[in-house]
Amino acid sequence: MFIRATIGKFPSKLKADMYLAYIKTEVLPKLKKKSKIISLRTLIIGEGKTLGIATYENEKDFDETNKWLAPLLKDASQELDGQFDSMPGEVVLSYDKPVVI
């Protein structure tokens, strides 16, 4: 499994909210159609700060998706004066609590 964590920093909460609205309306539909992302979670981690965690089956799927997704996200963040730190990596340890139904 391969994961990319991305921290976004915007000059204000409003610009971070605008970025999240863009992700919901423009990016998520594209992810559903052509991405190899298994899951995507986005958190608000402070005033004007976001943390995105995307999970992929492997690094190849990450690379294929990143070719078209990274430019979309970069353009949107630049329009809103945002900066991103992207940290991709292979999962080396994982724990999931069993769900009892």
Side-chain angles (χ1 to χ4, degrees):
M1 186 173 292
F2 199 82
I3 292 180
R4 174 178 52 190
T6 306
I7 296 176
K9 299 172 190 165
F10 296 90
S12 68
K13 180 184 180 310
L14 177 60
K15 288 192 175 188
D17 289 345
M18 291 171 66
Y19 177 78
L20 293 173
Y22 170 75
I23 298 298
K24 287 178 188 176
T25 60
E26 298 293 324
V27 177
L28 285 182
K30 292 175 181 163
L31 291 180
K32 291 175 184 176
K33 285 183 182 177
K34 65 178 187 176
S35 119
K36 303 243 179 165
I37 292 176
I38 295 171
S39 68
L40 172 65
R41 304 283 186 265
T42 300
L43 298 76
I44 296 172
I45 58 171
E47 185 74 20
K49 293 182 183 176
T50 62
L51 170 64
I53 302 168
T55 306
Y56 302 82
E57 187 68 34
N58 52 53
E59 189 172 1
K60 180 179 180 249
D61 289 352
F62 162 77
D63 290 337
E64 287 178 17
T65 299
N66 200 47
K67 286 178 189 175
W68 61 267
L69 182 57
L72 284 179
L73 300 180
K74 182 180 177 184
D75 290 347
S77 68
Q78 287 178 341
E79 288 289 327
L80 297 166
D81 303 317
Q83 297 178 354
F84 278 86
D85 295 321
S86 180
M87 298 149 285
E90 190 73 33
V91 174
V92 295
L93 178 69
S94 181
Y95 169 78
D96 294 306
K97 184 175 182 174
V99 178
V100 179
I101 299 176

